[in-house]
């Protein structure tokens, strides 16, 4: 709910990105650390807006006003911090420039950085590749926010799998029961397919899913079905049938 939260920070990609900037020659020369490139704390953020990129003005009778910070021009950082740049392919980017990238642009730019990609790829897998890394989470729609949460779990699952493949202990797997209420509402067919792939990833990580859904593609992909009815409201609430999709097709 805070404007300081964004897709990159939510899935943990921003931590890995800040570490890369801390290793840049200019950052090493000036003694900058990963904390210097945080807009939530430290000395690297703009002192005027506190790293928000805007100033919040409370209005007595009207909606509050948000004005672009005059000192950093909405870029969140002090000018000297923005002088540290990374060579990413054919682009030379500051930390503020990276936050302006879309998820798909960032995946292409950080193609050689496995830790960053492991965090960003789930955003693309749930169909959020058009979001900008630094976009404040409160500006997302309800559906986008739900898919962002899903991407966070997928990122954790991907890192756990990577650690296991590398023979590194990553602690016990915390298995979760996910409850989804008609998650396909308003989604395009391509996005539904992406959603189903995400579901399979969660199942492979040891999680369980309970989905309330009428979409036939989702129903066909289920391991077990419980059909409630026979109608809605007062005429419903009874178990009409249960079993695997193959079992119910024969009824």
């Amino acid at each position: 709910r805070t404007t300081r939260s964004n897709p990159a920070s939510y899935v943990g990609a921003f931590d890995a990105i800040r570490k890369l900037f801390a290793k840049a020659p200019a950052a090493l020369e000036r003694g900058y650390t990963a904390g210097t490139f945080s807009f939530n704390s430290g000395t690297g953020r703009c002192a005027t807006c506190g790293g928000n990129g805007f100033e919040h003005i409370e209005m007595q009778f009207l909606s509050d006003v948000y004005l672009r910070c005059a000192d950093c021009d909405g870029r969140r950082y002090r000018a000297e911090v923005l002088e540290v740049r990374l060579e990413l392919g054919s682009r030379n980017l500051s930390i503020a420039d990276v936050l302006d990238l879309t998820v798909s642009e960032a995946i292409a730019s950080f193609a050689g950085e496995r830790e960053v990609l492991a965090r960003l790829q789930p955003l693309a897998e749930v169909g959020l590749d058009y979001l900008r890394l630094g976009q404040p989470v409160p500006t997302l729609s309800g559906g986008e926010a739900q898919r962002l949460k899903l991407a966070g779990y997928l990122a954790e699952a991907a890192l756990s799998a990577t650690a296991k493949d590398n023979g590194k202990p990553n602690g016990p797997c915390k298995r979760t029961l996910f409850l989804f209420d008609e998650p396909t509402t308003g989604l395009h067919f391509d996005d539904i397919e992406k959603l189903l792939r995400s579901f399979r990833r969660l199942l492979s990580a040891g999680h369980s899913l309970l989905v309330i859904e009428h979409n036939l593609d989702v129903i066909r992909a289920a391991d077990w079905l419980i059909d409630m009815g026979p109608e809605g409201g007062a005429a419903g609430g009874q178990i009409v049938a249960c079993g695997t999709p193959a079992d119910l097709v024969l009824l």
Side-chain angles (χ1 to χ4, degrees):
R1 293 182 180 276
T2 171
T3 56
R4 292 185 179 275
S5 179
N6 56 52
S9 62
Y10 189 87
V11 298
F14 197 46
D15 292 338
I17 291 171
R18 290 190 294 111
K19 291 177 184 177
L20 292 177
F21 272 93
K23 295 177 182 178
L28 294 173
E29 183 180 309
R30 301 179 186 188
Y32 291 169
T33 66
T36 307
F37 297 94
S38 171
F39 54 77
N40 289 321
S41 61
T43 58
R45 62 181 180 171
C46 172
T48 302
C49 65
N52 277 318
F54 58 83
E55 295 183 72
H56 178 201
I57 301 177
E58 295 186 4
M59 305 295 286
Q60 188 169 2
F61 300 109
L62 301 173
S63 299
D64 291 354
V65 175
Y66 295 88
L67 298 178
R68 184 185 296 269
C69 176
D71 284 354
C72 68
D73 194 30
R75 294 174 68 77
R76 299 175 181 249
Y77 295 92
R78 292 188 290 114
E80 51 268 37
V81 173
L82 296 179
E83 292 173 358
V84 178
R85 308 180 80 84
L86 284 182
E87 294 286 345
L88 298 172
S90 60
R91 311 178 75 172
N92 188 19
L93 304 177
S94 69
I95 187 71
D97 294 330
V98 169
L99 288 173
D100 281 338
L101 295 175
T102 64
V103 172
S104 59
E105 290 173 339
I107 289 175
S109 297
F110 290 96
E113 303 295 335
R114 294 182 60 185
E115 185 178 358
V116 178
L117 287 181
R119 294 289 191 175
L120 291 179
Q121 199 66 46
L123 289 170
E125 291 173 358
V126 297
L128 296 178
D129 52 330
Y130 57 89
L131 293 182
R132 297 197 176 276
L133 297 188
Q135 183 172 340
V137 167
T139 65
L140 304 182
S141 68
E144 289 171 333
Q146 289 296 325
R147 282 186 281 166
L148 179 60
K149 290 182 181 180
L150 181 57
Y153 281 99
L154 291 175
E156 291 179 9
L159 288 179
S160 296
T162 301
K164 184 178 180 180
D165 292 341
N166 294 334
K168 298 179 181 179
N170 199 41
C173 176
K174 182 180 178 181
R175 297 181 177 178
T176 304
L177 172 63
F178 291 87
L179 307 178
F180 293 93
D181 187 2
E182 301 198 25
T184 63
T185 301
L187 294 186
H188 187 271
F189 294 119
D190 289 341
D191 291 326
I192 293 175
E193 180 57 35
K194 292 178 181 177
L195 181 67
L196 288 175
R197 285 199 295 268
S198 300
F199 284 174
R200 296 186 193 104
R201 290 272 306 280
L202 290 175
L203 293 171
S204 298
H207 302 300
S208 300
L209 280 69
L210 178 60
V211 185
I212 302 170
E213 189 56 77
H214 297 92
N215 181 276
L216 293 179
D217 290 330
V218 177
I219 291 173
R220 184 171 60 246
D223 294 316
W224 190 262
L225 298 174
I226 302 175
D227 188 11
M228 304 292 291
E231 303 292 340
Q238 303 297 318
I239 297 180
V240 176
C242 62
T244 66
D247 291 337
L248 298 194
V249 166
L250 299 176
L251 294 179

